[in-house]
Amino acid sequence: MNKYLFTLLLSTAGTIGCFAQANIVPAAKQTKTIAITGATIHVGNGTVISNGTIVFSGGKILSVTANGQAPQDIEVIKADGKHVYPGLIAPITNLGLAEFSSVKATLDFAEIGNFNPHIRSLVAYNTDSKVPATLRSNGILMAEITPEGGTISGSSSVVQLDAWNWEDAVVKTDDAMHMTWPAIPQSRGEFGGRRQLLTPEVIAERRQNAINELEQFFSEAKGYAAIGKPTVTNTRFAAMKHLFDGKQQLFITADSQKDIVASVNFAKKFNIKPVIVGGDEAYLITDFLKENGISVIVKQPHALPNSTDDDVNMPYKNAAVLANAGINVAISIEGYWQQRNLPFMAGTAVAWGLDKEKALSAITLNTAKILGIDKTTGSLETGKDATLFISAGDALDMRTNHVEKAFIQGRDINLDNLHKQLDKKFSEKYGLKAAN
């Protein structure tokens, strides 16, 4: 027994040593006024200011002007020939809820059960995760931490990615309830250990049963919310009350055009205007989406279409088609480590028909509007949080994006990360030049 315990301790120590990130601590509050001068400022709302100056103090933006001059007696960062962007926002991610996909003990993004509206991702968010630092190095400074699993997964919250704990990290608490629309069942199922072909009638029946169950749950939750002081507490129904008073949004994952229409009409029965997540076939029903004022968070453009009959390039085009039709679009990417590639997903959308500044809005201001945080962040405007970064090149181009400095609410954050440390370590070992 002692032998096995000793081996386990050695293994654990080795793992901790391999994944340690030295000297990366959250930044202190901003104490002096800072001006960034000479840069091309991408405001995030479509406006671009050449040779601009942005001044911020106490974590808030004081001014954004179209000249290279800065007030006297303040700290000046000269960024001639460089670019300033608002901090990028990653929606729909289990960042901080997972560390190693192969180690179950580090996965905390899903619960058992089909209806879990009482689950709150925020309290499980791990600010000591090694992943957020890699995102900050590419300009992703905020994220919507989202639970998964079941039909109703629970509530997400928006955090900034440089904090000691989840209380410090939170930007907006319980911004949205997340739901997955019942999909068409697989054409084959298991019966008595043998595969069984499901008829169209059986498929339709199972699907309708799932929808009926969901509608009953919402109806009971709405009735519970109407009770001032219920004699018996139901934590699941209590968690949904803000859906019905408009204080919380409903995000519905749906991909096919029929599912999107059905899910929107379902939400309308309860006087809820949902946000569609995924929306692979949203481009086929743009008039319906505009008519109902529906925003769409599209999946990563680097994917294959769901149907063999679809244009193989449709995932690349989807964001552009929706945005050009006048729909509020945000871009997301699955997973947690992969979030660092979010700006390049927007760059792909540019290559397939989306205006570059609109693509930037799809990962900044549009996302902020969808998440309900646009009054304080998402663009570089007077009075908003000084959450921004400086890149030597185009932030949406992986060949030129090089984040040299980043600020979250005015705090000058550390851009070191595990990847940079390993790069430096082995570059020195083999006599190579490190990337950063």
Side-chain angles (χ1 to χ4, degrees):
M1 185 67 179
N2 290 337
K3 178 179 69 175
Y4 294 122
L5 179 60
F6 180 70
T7 302
L8 177 62
L9 290 173
L10 283 179
S11 175
T12 302
T15 302
I16 293 173
C18 288
F19 291 96
Q21 283 185 154
N23 302 320
I24 301 180
V25 298
K29 289 184 178 180
Q30 182 182 5
T31 57
K32 51 188 175 181
T33 304
I34 298 174
I36 301 173
T37 66
T40 298
I41 300 175
H42 302 262
V43 176
N45 60 5
T47 303
V48 179
I49 302 174
S50 299
N51 190 31
T53 296
I54 180 168
V55 182
F56 52 98
S57 180
K60 296 292 183 179
I61 297 174
L62 300 181
S63 65
V64 182
T65 56
N67 62 70
Q69 302 300 314
Q72 296 181 349
D73 301 325
I74 66 172
E75 180 180 344
V76 176
I77 300 173
K78 294 184 178 180
D80 299 59
K82 299 175 183 178
H83 300 261
V84 176
Y85 296 90
L88 310 183
I89 309 170
I92 318 294
T93 173
N94 57 16
L95 178 73
L97 305 180
E99 199 71 14
F100 306 105
S101 58
S102 59
V103 181
K104 187 176 181 180
T106 71
L107 307 180
D108 197 16
F109 51 78
E111 297 293 335
I112 297 172
N114 207 30
F115 297 105
N116 292 311
H118 59 298
I119 297 301
R120 301 177 66 230
S121 63
L122 180 62
V123 296
Y125 176 63
N126 177 23
T127 53
D128 291 325
S129 169
K130 304 301 180 286
V131 185
T134 68
L135 275 59
R136 299 198 300 260
S137 295
N138 271 356
I140 300 103
L141 305 182
M142 288 172 285
E144 181 193 32
I145 310 305
T146 307
E148 300 176 7
T151 300
I152 301 178
S153 306
S155 294
S156 61
S157 291
V158 184
V159 300
Q160 50 86 5
L161 302 184
D162 184 62
W164 287 104
N165 50 57
W166 65 261
E167 291 95 336
D168 293 340
V170 66
V171 173
K172 185 172 184 180
T173 302
D174 300 329
D175 70 294
M177 184 70 66
H178 292 261
M179 176 181 121
T180 300
W181 187 250
I184 296 175
Q186 297 295 321
S187 61
R188 291 181 180 273
E190 295 290 341
F191 181 75
R194 301 173 60 185
R195 297 189 67 80
Q196 177 190 27
L197 180 64
L198 300 181
T199 65
E201 292 77 16
V202 172
I203 291 175
E205 181 182 2
R206 290 188 179 183
R207 178 180 173 81
Q208 191 57 52
N209 287 341
I211 294 173
N212 291 343
E213 185 180 9
L214 185 62
E215 187 162 350
Q216 180 179 352
F217 189 86
F218 264 72
S219 296
E220 292 177 357
K222 186 174 183 180
Y224 183 91
I227 302 173
K229 294 181 179 180
T231 55
V232 178
T233 300
N234 186 310
T235 55
R236 285 174 167 80
F237 291 161
M240 296 182 67
K241 65 179 181 180
H242 291 312
L243 282 178
F244 305 111
D245 63 16
K247 295 180 181 179
Q248 188 179 41
Q249 296 191 86
L250 177 63
F251 283 27
I252 304 178
T253 297
D255 287 320
S256 74
Q257 58 178 319
K258 290 183 178 180
D259 286 348
I260 294 170
V261 171
S263 63
V264 170
N265 288 335
F266 170 87
K268 287 171 66 177
K269 290 181 181 179
F270 298 95
N271 296 318
I272 298 171
K273 185 171 74 172
V275 172
I276 294 299
V277 178
D280 287 352
E281 294 185 357
Y283 67 95
L284 296 172
I285 50 173
T286 54
D287 290 341
F288 172 82
L289 295 171
K290 286 182 65 178
E291 178 184 338
N292 289 279
I294 304 299
S295 298
V296 180
I297 302 178
V298 300
K299 291 179 180 177
Q300 58 206 62
H302 292 186
L304 291 173
N306 283 339
S307 173
T308 55
D309 295 327
D310 289 343
D311 179 355
V312 70
N313 296 317
M314 199 60 232
Y316 305 148
K317 303 175 183 177
N318 199 13
V321 172
L322 295 174
N324 293 338
I327 295 168
N328 188 38
V329 176
I331 295 175
S332 68
I333 180 173
E334 296 176 351
Y336 48 105
W337 281 111
Q338 298 91 328
Q339 295 298 321
R340 65 186 182 276
N341 292 319
L342 179 64
F344 313 136
M345 300 297 107
T348 296
V350 173
W352 289 89
L354 186 59
D355 174 80
K356 182 171 287 188
E357 296 308 313
K358 286 185 177 180
L360 175 64
S361 294
I363 52 177
T364 54
L365 186 57
N366 287 4
T367 306
K369 288 179 179 178
I370 292 172
L371 302 183
I373 58 174
D374 55 300
K375 291 184 178 180
T376 58
T377 192
S379 59
L380 303 178
E381 299 177 81
T382 301
K384 289 192 174 185
D385 290 347
T387 299
L388 53 93
F389 65 94
I390 303 172
S391 174
D394 183 351
L396 306 189
D397 185 349
M398 66 174 62
R399 298 169 301 177
T400 60
N401 179 18
H402 179 66
V403 177
E404 296 184 344
K405 211 164 189 60
F407 299 87
I408 293 179
Q409 297 168 338
R411 297 180 294 110
D412 188 354
I413 66 172
N414 190 334
L415 290 177
D416 195 11
N417 62 51
L418 178 62
H419 293 176
K420 290 182 178 180
Q421 292 171 9
L422 292 175
D423 177 40
K424 181 179 179 181
K425 174 181 177 179
F426 289 101
S427 293
E428 290 180 358
K429 177 179 180 180
Y430 295 109
L432 303 173
K433 182 180 179 181
N436 292 298

